[in-house]
Amino acid sequence: MTTEKKAELEKLSKDIRLDIIKTGYLSGIKGAHFGGCLSMAEILATLYCEFVNYNLNDLEHRDRVILSKGHAALALYCVLYEKGILTKEELDTFEQDGSELIAHSKRNLVKGQEFSGGSLSLGISHAVGVAYACKLKGLTNRIYVIVGDGELNEGLAWESLMFASHNKLNNLTVIIDHNHMQADGTVEEVMDTAPLNDKFTSFGFDTQEVDGHSVEDLHLALSNPSVTQPSAIIAETIKGKGVSFMENKAKWHHGDLNELRYNKALMELEGKGNG
């Protein structure tokens, strides 16, 4: 990766985080799922800037990005805005009455939303089914599914992974946003799924572990999918990344911002201080 490309992806990650805070603040007391949105900025930036072919004039052959951790829809909306698929006016309607942009994304292909998320683990099974269908059709596109580590508590996730491995879905990449937190506490406390690498490998996936906040690591991992089996990327991340009072705090799985906290978050993300 060139120095220029790294800088571009890091800037996009920063812009996504700023968009998350600004848009979430506009939602008022309805709030947003800030923690799990902020943890996946680099994942989205790297995917959409470097790998995803989303041609609105050829939707059949498009790559798919399926957000299984559907509560992080705001982060998806923000990268779609940065890539010109959503307008600023549309983004600013997030969680407003009558808006199409709600807390859990609603399927709308022309607006880049592949899946109506919300019920955890259903996105994984949907992605596996889509990957299987695309293989049967002889398409050469790629299916990416972003999964929360907390949702791997669900049995359906592992049934879906078995199916993907059995059918050698080498067009599928599962990206785990491994921020170690969920709504009720740490993943280790609620339902410890470690060691994830061993589990995914034993389920027949070509598995890599990366720093989920390193665009270089993510780029390298995404550049080298297996040609014989499905791929898994375990991205080690920090919930609430970039905002000191949100980092590694389960209470910021979902919350709302007052003016003081909003300004503090902006200052930290813009690099103007963390006091």
Side-chain angles (χ1 to χ4, degrees):
M1 176 185 287
T2 65
T3 302
E4 292 77 14
K5 179 56 67 175
K6 179 184 176 185
E8 178 186 353
L9 293 178
E10 289 178 342
K11 182 182 184 304
L12 178 56
S13 303
K14 175 181 176 179
D15 289 343
I16 290 169
R17 286 197 172 92
L18 286 167
D19 292 337
I20 289 167
I21 294 299
K22 291 175 182 178
T23 309
Y25 178 63
L26 288 177
S27 71
I29 61 171
K30 292 181 180 178
H33 291 87
F34 288 108
C37 287
L38 292 168
S39 65
M40 57 189 282
E42 285 85 3
I43 295 171
L44 291 172
T46 307
L47 262 182
Y48 276 88
C49 197
E50 289 292 289
F51 294 95
V52 177
N53 173 25
Y54 201 86
N55 184 351
L56 293 176
N57 296 316
D58 186 12
L59 286 176
E60 182 181 10
H61 294 89
R62 74 194 184 280
D63 293 330
R64 272 74 158 179
V65 179
I66 295 163
L67 184 64
S68 191
K69 50 173 290 187
H71 54 279
L74 176 55
L76 176 64
Y77 302 149
C78 290
V79 74
L80 293 175
Y81 158 65
E82 292 291 342
K83 297 304 293 181
I85 296 173
L86 291 176
T87 67
K88 184 65 165 64
E89 291 73 24
E90 288 170 326
L91 182 63
D92 286 348
T93 68
F94 172 70
E95 283 284 73
Q96 304 301 319
D97 290 347
S99 174
E100 291 288 304
L101 303 185
I102 53 180
H104 297 78
S105 65
K106 176 181 171 183
R107 191 169 192 257
N108 183 342
L109 298 187
V110 298
K111 293 298 182 180
Q113 298 163 54
E114 288 285 344
F115 178 68
S116 296
S119 297
L120 294 177
S121 81
L122 290 185
I124 308 174
S125 57
H126 176 74
V128 168
V130 169
Y132 187 53
C134 289
K135 289 276 284 187
L136 291 177
K137 289 182 177 182
L139 299 178
T140 58
N141 59 346
R142 187 140 205 98
I143 314 304
Y144 301 96
V145 55
I146 303 173
V147 179
D149 49 8
E151 84 179 285
L152 293 176
N153 296 167
E154 305 279 354
L156 178 57
W158 300 100
E159 295 174 47
S160 303
L161 298 175
M162 279 194 293
F163 182 91
S165 176
H166 176 77
N167 288 282
K168 296 179 171 56
L169 299 182
N170 62 341
N171 59 341
L172 176 71
T173 296
V174 179
I175 305 170
I176 302 93
D177 181 10
H178 195 17
N179 61 36
H180 297 269
M181 301 290 297
Q182 55 194 97
D184 297 324
T186 69
V187 169
E188 289 74 18
E189 292 169 337
V190 177
M191 178 70 76
D192 193 356
T193 53
L196 277 183
N197 191 314
D198 292 350
K199 284 186 171 67
F200 271 87
T201 300
S202 69
F203 270 70
F205 277 67
D206 179 62
T207 309
Q208 303 178 68
E209 289 185 272
V210 303
D211 178 351
H213 299 308
S214 166
V215 294
E216 291 177 298
D217 283 7
L218 287 164
H219 190 278
L220 182 61
L222 288 163
S223 297
N224 295 285
S226 172
V227 297
T228 59
Q229 61 193 120
S231 299
I233 299 171
I234 302 170
E236 290 287 336
T237 62
I238 297 171
K239 192 152 187 165
K241 174 69 174 176
V243 179
S244 62
F245 60 85
M246 291 184 182
E247 287 191 355
N248 292 318
K249 300 290 194 304
K251 69 179 182 179
W252 282 101
H253 179 81
H254 185 278
D256 59 274
L257 289 168
N258 59 27
E259 185 177 2
L260 181 64
R261 282 178 167 166
Y262 170 67
N263 288 327
K264 180 176 173 61
L266 286 186
M267 286 184 65
E268 292 184 3
L269 290 172
E270 290 170 345
K272 297 178 181 177
N274 58 4

